[in-house]
Structure formats: C-alpha cells, structure tokens
Amino acid sequence: MRPKPARIRQSSQPMSPQEQDFHDRLARQRQNMRASRCPTCGNEPVEARARWQQRQDLAITWLCPDPQHPSAVVERHHCAQCQPHQHIQAIACPLCGDGPIVAGALADATPDEHTIPAPVRQWLEQHGWSQDPEHAMVCPDHQPVPS
C-alpha cells in the first residue's frame, strides 16, 4: 500500500471538518491555559498541576457584600492564595453539595443553608436555585419535584 501524499491547505481554502475540529480543540486548550490566572490577585501558576488546581479553585463562586449597594452581593472568584479564610459560610445544594461560598458580613448572617439573607437568596434565585419543600435551596440541576 502506498502512502497518501499530504494535503497542504492553502490559507485561502476553507478548513475541512476534521481540521476545524482540531483547530477548535487547540483554541479551547489555549483558552483553558489562560483561564488559570486569578482575576482577583493575578496569581498565575507555572506548573501544569498547579494550573489545574487553580482552575478548580477559580470555578468556586464567592458571594461578597457589594460595597456600592449594601442590599446586594457581588460575585468573586479567588485562588487559594487570596480567598477569604475568615467569616465564610458555604451554601450547598443538599442533593449534590455544589454551591457558592458566602463571605464577609453576609457569612455572619448565614449560619446555615436554611437561614439565607435576602441578597444571597435573591442571587441564588437569579441563578436558577429554588426552594425544595423537603430541603433547603437546591441548585438548578436538582429542581424540586412538583407535589
């Protein structure tokens, strides 16, 4: 069997579906590599494992009091180096354990996932959370079953 000659695409020619898929995959990988920079402090790990861990940390949503509007919250994303370590409270979906972390004065007003201050509850509802009659607030992936 003879080897096939390589097809070299000219820049004016459209990409084949396979080439487009490969190009898109490389673009996503490049974007994921850039996504490891902390938007709060700018920390950007060099080692691959540390970048992966930082991306996991940055996926966590932190809800903090909005300094401009006391009755609202702002979303933040922190790496392990700059995340708040005092006055925090996790809001977890009782079915999957996922959810944001509340920080600052709002954390003091959130002793558990059943006592949620109005600004935090409003944020949760705006992001698809709802009240389950048998549980606390549940995430959008676990909508309550109608009775």
Side-chain angles (χ1 to χ4, degrees):
M1 192 158 132
R2 292 186 93 152
K4 275 185 161 179
R7 179 177 85 83
I8 300 174
R9 184 182 61 81
Q10 300 298 316
S11 60
S12 61
Q13 294 177 318
M15 286 190 227
S16 71
Q18 294 84 3
E19 290 170 323
Q20 185 65 46
D21 181 52
F22 182 69
H23 178 269
D24 293 346
R25 197 163 16 111
L26 287 176
R28 282 192 306 274
Q29 287 174 348
R30 279 192 299 275
Q31 186 61 32
N32 286 340
M33 294 301 287
R34 288 187 198 107
S36 65
R37 177 182 215 133
C38 179
T40 304
C41 71
N43 178 43
E44 189 169 12
V46 176
E47 181 193 85
R49 173 88 173 123
R51 283 193 310 267
W52 177 86
Q53 182 60 55
Q54 181 138 317
R55 285 192 297 274
Q56 303 306 306
D57 294 339
L58 294 176
I60 298 169
T61 300
W62 291 77
L63 301 179
C64 303
D66 186 340
Q68 307 296 323
H69 305 95
S71 61
V73 298
V74 290
E75 266 184 57
R76 300 267 191 253
H77 294 273
H78 298 284
C79 68
Q81 290 184 358
C82 71
Q83 70 186 11
H85 292 285
Q86 296 176 334
H87 304 286
I88 62 171
Q89 174 64 44
I91 302 291
C93 172
L95 303 174
C96 69
D98 198 11
I101 297 176
V102 180
L106 287 171
D108 296 334
T110 312
D112 57 46
E113 55 271 352
H114 299 287
T115 310
I116 300 174
V120 175
R121 182 176 289 278
Q122 182 179 5
W123 183 93
L124 292 169
E125 289 170 352
Q126 288 172 349
H127 288 82
W129 288 62
S130 58
Q131 185 71 42
D132 185 326
E134 296 181 20
H135 301 98
M137 297 288 286
V138 293
C139 74
D141 294 335
H142 299 99
Q143 292 301 309
V145 179
S147 314

